[in-house]
Amino acid sequence: MITLSGINKTFRVTKRQAGFAHAVKALFSREYEVIKALSDVNFTVGDGEMVGYIGPNGAGKSTTIKIMCGILTPDSGVCDINGRTPWRDRVAHVAQIGVVFGQRSQLWWDVPVVDSLELIRDIYKTDEATYRRNLDELTQLLDLGEILKTPARSLSLGQRMRCEIAASLIHSPRILFLDEPTIGLDAVSKIAVRQFIKRLNAQHGTTVILTTHDMQDIEALTQRILLIGKGRILLDGSLEELKKRSSERKTLVVKYSGSPPPLVTGMAISGEKDGRLVLELDPAIVRVNEGIAHLAAHCELQDVSVSDITAEEMVAALYKEYQI
């Protein structure tokens, strides 16, 4: 169980203008700006949940993750993770968590990946039987194989990220923190990582907290979303609830023959897509079946597809609504 209550965090950042004169002046007198990274952050995550933690750059996502990992200490507030305070009981706490930062590596650059994994095993004091069992499972599920014998510097980004995930799970953590785990990955690597995370949660009940700007990751992995902006939790709910809150509109992509059909109130043309007409429909004014029946009565329909608001559109609407 993860519980955050009244978490606040500020940073003091030096500021100076460009130029040699200002650089010399800064040696003797520095100007500082206080940035409030987190302001009264409260949420609870149950065991085995998969939660998407989203927000624009600078919203406070990574700061929250670092507090939950014990890397940062908040100015005030309570963070309780499985009965421990991360920054006070750090040694015991980190034995129960795994962390993947997409832009940072925990692998040693010039040695084979398997050597890094063995060193991580020793750091966490994982017994040999557990290590071998986990290594065999991770090698199979993440398709590591010969990659384990390769130095980290020689791996592609997708290969390295799969190894980073393996390194974070080699000690059987109960909680997995993923900060941009698929950043820069190709489509095949992204799908492989997503499938593995879902399998990990289903088989082992691992709690997963995912921060990412890739909404396909959010849709594929999480059932619940926390939206943070300007250091505050703005929304907490399921993806479907947030979609309904953002908009009930539907998108109809229509392929037809003959003249363009007339539209009824509640329908509007938003553009052409590959020779098809793209329509926006408001179900509060006209139901989807009524809209399609109207189109069919006035032209020959060859194909019709109906879709809800996309996750990207939902998040953009939420950012606009909260001015973040």
Side-chain angles (χ1 to χ4, degrees):
M1 177 73 76
I2 300 173
T3 302
L4 273 70
S5 178
I7 293 291
N8 294 278
K9 181 65 179 177
T10 57
F11 295 100
R12 196 170 70 149
V13 181
T14 58
K15 296 287 184 179
R16 74 168 178 85
Q17 297 182 17
F20 179 74
H22 291 288
V24 173
K25 180 182 178 182
L27 294 174
F28 304 96
S29 177
R30 295 187 178 184
E31 296 180 2
Y32 295 91
E33 178 184 358
V34 175
I35 298 176
K36 198 167 186 62
L38 297 177
S39 180
D40 194 29
V41 170
N42 302 274
F43 63 80
T44 299
V45 177
D47 293 337
E49 272 197 272
M50 298 181 71
V51 178
Y53 195 37
I54 64 173
N57 292 326
K61 302 186 299 298
S62 293
T63 300
T64 310
I65 295 294
K66 289 175 181 177
I67 287 174
M68 290 190 289
C69 293
I71 298 172
L72 292 177
T73 301
D75 300 337
S76 62
V78 175
C79 177
D80 183 281
I81 299 181
N82 293 330
R84 299 187 180 95
T85 300
W87 56 92
R88 292 181 187 145
D89 309 304
R90 191 170 179 186
V91 174
H93 174 64
V94 296
Q96 299 296 317
I97 67 171
V99 186
V100 177
F101 288 106
Q103 302 184 61
R104 294 177 177 83
S105 179
Q106 58 187 318
L107 303 174
W108 277 260
W109 200 239
D110 292 311
V111 301
V113 172
V114 69
D115 287 352
S116 293
L117 297 181
E118 290 180 355
L119 182 56
I120 292 171
R121 174 200 63 188
D122 293 339
I123 290 173
Y124 286 101
K125 297 181 174 61
T126 305
D127 64 82
E128 183 68 19
T130 300
Y131 169 74
R132 288 297 168 191
R133 184 181 66 250
N134 290 345
L135 180 61
D136 290 344
E137 181 181 11
L138 292 167
T139 299
Q140 179 182 1
L141 295 178
L142 289 172
D143 192 23
L144 299 181
E146 293 298 316
I147 297 175
L148 292 176
K149 303 175 184 178
T150 307
R153 58 179 168 79
S154 300
L155 299 177
S156 70
L157 181 57
Q159 291 172 330
R160 184 177 67 79
M161 287 309 304
R162 297 207 304 272
C163 292
E164 295 283 355
I165 293 174
S168 70
L169 294 169
I170 203 69
H171 59 292
S172 302
R174 296 173 60 187
I175 302 171
L176 181 61
F177 296 104
L178 301 173
D179 191 359
E180 299 286 358
T182 62
I183 188 170
L185 300 189
D186 59 64
V188 174
S189 296
K190 283 187 177 184
I191 291 172
V193 168
R194 290 169 188 157
Q195 289 176 340
F196 170 75
I197 295 170
K198 290 174 71 174
R199 188 181 296 115
L200 177 75
N201 174 261
Q203 293 181 355
H204 300 283
T206 305
T207 303
V208 178
I209 296 183
L210 169 68
T211 70
T212 181
H213 292 293
D214 189 332
M215 293 310 299
Q216 290 183 340
D217 286 348
I218 296 293
E219 287 188 293
L221 295 174
T222 65
Q223 296 83 41
R224 176 185 170 197
I225 291 179
L226 291 167
L227 173 66
I228 186 172
K230 299 179 181 178
R232 293 180 176 273
I233 299 296
L234 303 175
L235 282 173
D236 181 355
S238 71
L239 186 62
E240 289 303 315
E241 289 172 346
L242 296 184
K243 281 184 177 181
K244 290 179 180 179
R245 188 185 187 284
S246 299
S247 177
E248 288 282 357
R249 69 178 174 81
K250 305 285 185 180
T251 299
L252 273 65
V253 180
V254 179
K255 184 178 181 181
Y256 63 94
S257 60
S259 302
L263 304 182
V264 296
T265 303
M267 299 176 67
I269 298 175
S270 63
E272 295 282 343
K273 183 177 180 181
D274 299 329
R276 292 173 169 83
L277 193 62
V278 181
L279 305 173
E280 301 298 331
L281 183 147
D282 186 350
I285 300 175
V286 55
R287 290 184 295 180
V288 173
N289 62 330
E290 293 174 345
I292 294 175
H294 171 80
L295 295 173
H298 291 83
C299 69
E300 182 181 345
L301 294 181
Q302 297 178 339
D303 188 32
V304 177
S305 65
V306 183
S307 60
D308 294 316
I309 183 174
T310 66
E312 286 83 2
E313 291 172 331
M314 175 199 73
V315 171
L318 290 174
Y319 287 1
K320 183 177 180 181
E321 177 183 348
Y322 286 98
Q323 299 180 349
I324 58 175

